[in-house]
Amino acid sequence: TVILYGQTPTAFLCNLREWLFCICFTLIFMPLFMKTYRVSSIFQSGLNGLEVTNIKDGKLILYIMGCLLIDLLILGIFSLIELKGIIYIDDSIEEIHPLMDCIKMHAVCSRS
């Protein structure tokens, strides 16, 4: 996603940045949270007696995919309601010649 922020924004890139940011956040942090959940459940079961709690990797992956599905649903709803667009902002006026000025503009992603 960092590479996309270096590009000149278009309407498609603005929306893609938002989607990739949310999806990457989920894919980076949810496995860490699921591992913490697994360790916590092991220690909690140790306090209750000699029960052995075994949480399989497949179950944790299903939880991660469920969170990813929720992200995709929320992003899809937001994209259907209102897509991001581009607005142009005047930066500064640079004098090229005593009779000419150049106005610098840059594009910014924004909701309409």
Side-chain angles (χ1 to χ4, degrees):
T1 60
V2 175
I3 295 171
L4 295 177
Y5 280 96
Q7 304 295 322
T8 303
T10 63
F12 175 74
L13 274 181
C14 289
N15 291 298
L16 184 65
R17 288 176 187 170
E18 187 176 274
W19 277 68
L20 284 180
F21 179 78
C22 292
I23 291 169
C24 289
F25 185 86
T26 300
L27 289 177
I28 288 171
F29 287 105
M30 282 311 295
L32 297 174
F33 296 149
M34 289 295 107
K35 286 181 182 183
T36 304
Y37 167 71
R38 177 189 280 172
V39 170
S40 172
S41 65
I42 290 170
F43 281 109
Q44 288 296 324
S45 69
L47 294 176
N48 294 335
L50 295 175
E51 295 177 24
V52 176
T53 302
N54 191 6
I55 300 175
K56 303 278 185 196
D57 289 339
K59 187 175 182 181
L60 297 179
I61 290 172
L62 284 176
Y63 287 154
I64 294 169
M65 290 300 143
C67 292
L68 193 60
L69 181 65
I70 291 169
D71 272 352
L72 292 175
L73 275 169
I74 292 171
L75 287 168
I77 290 169
F78 279 138
S79 293
L80 285 175
I81 292 172
E82 186 175 14
L83 287 174
K84 277 192 165 186
I86 300 175
I87 59 170
Y88 293 95
I89 298 176
D90 297 336
D91 249 353
S92 62
I93 298 174
E94 180 181 325
E95 186 176 324
I96 298 175
H97 186 270
L99 300 175
M100 276 195 230
D101 290 335
C102 177
I103 299 175
K104 293 183 179 179
M105 298 178 73
H106 66 277
V108 177
C109 296
S110 173
R111 295 221 180 260
S112 300

